[in-house]
Amino acid sequence: MATDHHDPAKPGSTNVALTEVIQQEYELSFWEAVKLYPTAVGWSVFVSLGVIMLAFDPQIIGNMYAMPQFQKDFGYEHDGEYIISAAWQTGLSLGNPLGQVFGALFSAYPLELFGRKWTFFVCVLLTAGLVFIQFFARSLQVLLVGELLGGLVLGCYVVIAPTYASEVCPMVLRGYLTSYTNLCFVTGQLLGNGVTAGTSSLDNHWAYSIPFALQWFWVAIILPGIFFIPESPWWLVRHGRTEEARDALRRLSSNKVNIDATLAVIAETDRLELEMEAGSSYIDTVKGVNLRRTEISTGVYTAQVLSGVYLINYGTYFFQQAGLPTQDAFNMGIGFLAVGWVCTVFSWFLIAQFGRRRIFNIGLLVLIILMFIIGILDSIPGRPSGVAWAESSLMLIWNGAYDMSIGPVTFVILGECSATRVRSKTIAVATAVQAVVGIVMTVAIPYMINPDEANMQGKLGYFFGGLGVICLVWGYFRIPETKGRTYEELDLLFDKNVPARQFKGYQVDGTISAET
C-alpha cells in the first residue's frame, strides 16, 4: 500500500504489520490459504450458487426447442415435424441476455447501497416468485413474460458472485474462487441438459414443467443460508463501518490471521484509490485510468460471446440440426457439458501455474482453429454421413478448450482489473455490454441454424472463427498479466499506464512492501 513515512498517524510498527500481511499473501500456498480462510472459501462458493440458476434457465429453454412435447404444445408443423419458429426462439431466449443488461446495471446500485448480502437475498426471493410464471405458462406469450422478468433478476447474480469472491479471499485464492463462477455456469448448463434429457421422452406438459419447477430447488438451498453470510469487508470499510468490517473478517478467516493488519490493508487500498481520484459512480468506470480497466473487463467478457459460447445454449438443438437423432442429440448435450465441467476444474491447475494473459490468448487461438475446422468439414461436397458426428465431437472438444481457458479466466480478469471502489459497477458494465452482444447472437443464431431459415449447420464455424480472430488481436495488445499482484500493485500499474505486455515482471515502487 502506498504510504507516507512522515505521517504520524501511521507509526512504524503499523507499517511493519502491513508489510507482514502483504508478504504473507505472496508466500501463501493454496492449501495454506484454505486453512487460513476456510469460511471465506465456503461463503464465496455459496454466493456463487446463484450463477447456477442463471445458467440453468437459458439452457433448459434452449433444449426445449428440441423437445418433442414442447414442440407439439408450443410450435407448428413444418415438413411433417413440429418446430418452434425462429422468431419465438429468439424472443424466449432474449430473456436471459436482456436481463443481464438491465439486471446487471441495476444491481450495482443496491450492491453499493445495501451491500452484497441483502442484494443477494432479495434477488433469490424474486427468482422464487417469478418461476411461478414459467411453471404455469401454457402459451408462448406467457412464457415470454416469465423469461423476460426472470431474466432481469438472474442478470444480477453474475455481478454479485465475482464481486463477493474477489473481496473476501486472499490473493492466492482469487483465481480459483472468481473462476468458480464459470464452474457454476457449466454446472447450471449441465444440470439443465441432464434434466431435459430425462424429461424429453414424457408425452405431457411435465416434460417441460419439471425443468421449470426444479429452479425452486436452488432457492430452497440458498434462502436459509443467506442470513449467515458475512458482508464484504471491503464494502463495509468504504461505508465507514470499520467495526463491522473487523467482525466480518473474523468470520471469514481463522484466528491465525492478523485481522487489524488485514483491515488496514483494505483501508489503505481504499485511501490510495481516493487519492487517485477513483470515485464510485458509473461515470467513474470510464474516467481516467478506469477507462482502460473497464475496456479490458468488457473486452474479455465480450470475447466469450464472440468466440461462440452462445452455441452452448443451443447445443442439443445444434446437434439435432447437424443430423443426430433426438435422443443422441440430448446425450451429446450432456457429454458436451460434462466435458466442460471437468475442464473447468482442470483450469484451476492452469490458473495456478500460468498467467491470465497466456491462458486467455492461447485458449482463444485453439477455439478459433477448432471453429474453422468445423466450418471446413461442413463444406465437404455431399456432406458425408460421418460429418454430423465429427462436427459434434469437435464442438465437444471446443467446449472443453473453452472451459479450460477463456471461460474461467475471464472472471479472474474481471475481479483483478476492476478498481476496488468501482468493482461491482465495472463488472456490471462488462456484463451489460457482453449481454448486448449476446442479444445480437440470440437473435441471429436461431435464424442461422433453423432448417426453415439459413440452415447453416456447421458453417457457423466460419462465422465464429472470424470473430475470434478479431478478439485475439485485441487480446494480444490489451490484456495485461495480473497474476500474483495485490490490488494496490494493480492500482499503481494502471496508474502508471504500464503497457499490457510489460505488466509481468514490472517492478512497482511506492507500495508498503517496497518501502519498508
Side-chain angles (χ1 to χ4, degrees):
M1 307 299 158
T3 186
D4 183 353
H5 285 295
H6 302 290
D7 186 348
K10 294 184 186 290
S13 59
T14 303
N15 269 357
V16 171
L18 290 172
T19 304
E20 288 176 357
V21 169
I22 294 170
Q23 192 60 36
Q24 184 187 52
E25 283 226 20
Y26 284 120
E27 296 173 353
L28 276 180
S29 69
F30 172 80
W31 289 113
E32 287 171 341
V34 170
K35 290 176 183 177
L36 287 174
Y37 297 90
T39 48
V41 173
W43 286 119
S44 177
V45 167
F46 182 80
V47 171
S48 295
L49 290 178
V51 179
I52 295 179
M53 292 193 290
L54 166 65
F56 185 85
D57 179 74
Q59 195 66 30
I60 60 175
I61 284 293
N63 286 349
M64 285 174 187
Y65 304 147
M67 187 180 287
Q69 189 61 40
F70 186 85
Q71 292 171 329
K72 184 177 179 181
D73 289 354
F74 292 90
Y76 67 96
E77 193 170 353
H78 174 75
D79 291 341
E81 295 181 349
Y82 286 96
I83 65 170
I84 306 298
S85 70
W88 273 110
Q89 284 188 36
T90 297
L92 291 172
S93 300
L94 275 176
N96 202 265
L98 271 176
Q100 287 191 42
V101 174
F102 296 105
L105 291 174
F106 173 76
S107 68
Y109 290 108
L111 277 170
E112 192 58 34
L113 289 173
F114 307 113
R116 286 60 168 128
K117 173 180 178 176
W118 296 115
T119 302
F120 186 45
F121 173 67
V122 172
C123 286
V124 175
L125 279 183
L126 288 172
T127 297
L130 292 171
V131 169
F132 279 97
I133 300 176
Q134 300 170 344
F135 180 76
F136 288 107
R138 293 297 178 268
S139 70
L140 288 172
Q141 291 84 352
V142 174
L143 185 56
L144 176 60
V145 171
E147 285 300 312
L148 288 172
L149 292 177
L152 289 172
V153 181
L154 292 174
C156 299
Y157 295 121
V158 76
V159 179
I160 297 169
T163 298
Y164 187 82
S166 64
E167 291 181 342
V168 301
C169 60
M171 183 171 61
V172 70
L173 295 179
R174 222 161 50 197
Y176 298 98
L177 294 180
T178 50
S179 64
Y180 177 74
T181 303
N182 189 74
L183 186 65
C184 289
F185 265 111
V186 179
T187 300
Q189 292 165 340
L190 177 60
L191 290 172
N193 272 13
V195 168
T196 50
T199 64
S200 63
S201 60
L202 298 178
D203 58 0
N204 53 45
H205 75 90
W206 289 109
Y208 47 85
S209 293
I210 288 174
F212 286 133
L214 285 175
Q215 293 177 94
W216 283 314
F217 171 77
W218 297 107
V219 173
I221 288 178
I222 295 171
L223 272 182
I226 283 183
F227 300 98
F228 304 99
I229 298 174
E231 185 53 85
S232 161
W234 288 83
W235 180 82
L236 291 167
V237 166
R238 283 200 298 277
H239 286 75
R241 296 159 64 172
T242 307
E243 287 306 312
E244 291 177 63
R246 182 177 283 107
D247 179 63
L249 283 169
R250 286 196 188 99
R251 295 176 60 199
L252 289 164
S253 59
S254 70
N255 55 17
K256 295 180 181 179
V257 173
N258 188 332
I259 299 298
D260 289 335
T262 303
L263 191 61
V265 170
I266 295 173
E268 180 65 9
T269 302
D270 188 59
R271 185 198 66 78
L272 175 65
E273 293 191 0
L274 280 174
E275 194 176 81
M276 292 176 175
E277 299 182 352
S280 57
S281 68
Y282 270 116
I283 292 297
D284 291 306
T285 63
V286 292
K287 281 175 61 177
V289 69
N290 279 346
L291 175 60
R292 181 186 177 193
R293 303 177 80 155
T294 302
E295 177 221 328
I296 294 166
S297 300
T298 302
V300 294
Y301 210 172
T302 303
Q304 288 187 335
V305 180
L306 296 177
S307 67
V309 72
Y310 265 58
L311 277 177
I312 293 175
N313 291 343
Y314 294 88
T316 301
Y317 190 61
F318 173 83
F319 297 139
Q320 190 182 59
Q321 295 308 312
L324 296 187
T326 297
Q327 195 56 49
D328 286 340
F330 272 98
N331 292 337
M332 179 63 83
I334 295 173
F336 187 67
L337 289 164
V339 167
W341 197 94
V342 172
C343 288
T344 299
V345 174
F346 181 72
S347 76
W348 294 342
F349 297 97
L350 297 180
I351 289 170
Q353 296 297 321
F354 304 103
R356 288 58 162 132
R357 171 185 166 86
R358 180 185 297 183
I359 294 171
F360 188 95
N361 288 331
I362 293 178
L364 183 55
L365 176 61
V366 172
L367 300 183
I368 292 167
I369 292 171
L370 288 170
M371 276 295 182
F372 279 127
I373 292 174
I374 290 171
I376 291 169
L377 282 174
D378 202 71
S379 302
I380 296 175
R383 201 168 187 273
S385 58
V387 166
W389 278 105
E391 289 177 1
S392 299
S393 299
L394 283 171
M395 276 301 296
L396 187 146
I397 296 170
W398 183 96
N399 189 51
Y402 172 90
D403 285 313
M404 278 196 294
S405 57
I406 75 171
V409 83
T410 286
F411 295 101
V412 183
I413 296 171
L414 278 175
E416 293 179 337
C417 282
S418 52
T420 61
R421 291 188 66 81
V422 288
R423 177 164 296 127
S424 62
K425 288 185 172 65
T426 301
I427 294 175
V429 169
T431 301
V433 173
Q434 173 265 157
V436 168
V437 179
I439 288 170
V440 175
M441 294 301 172
T442 302
V443 172
I445 288 174
Y447 287 95
M448 289 192 285
I449 65 175
N450 250 34
D452 61 341
E453 299 292 345
N455 197 26
M456 289 178 67
Q457 299 177 329
K459 294 182 181 67
L460 278 170
Y462 293 126
F463 177 71
F464 287 111
L467 292 177
V469 170
I470 297 172
C471 295
L472 182 60
V473 173
W474 171 85
Y476 178 78
F477 289 103
R478 300 300 290 169
I479 299 174
E481 184 50 70
T482 56
K483 183 177 183 290
R485 298 288 193 179
T486 65
Y487 287 133
E488 182 213 16
E489 285 181 314
L490 291 171
D491 285 342
L492 291 171
L493 284 166
F494 279 111
D495 191 55
K496 292 173 182 288
N497 202 27
V498 175
R501 286 173 289 171
Q502 295 179 22
F503 259 58
K504 185 178 180 180
Y506 191 94
Q507 296 298 312
V508 181
D509 298 321
T511 62
I512 287 176
S513 56
E515 292 178 358
T516 304

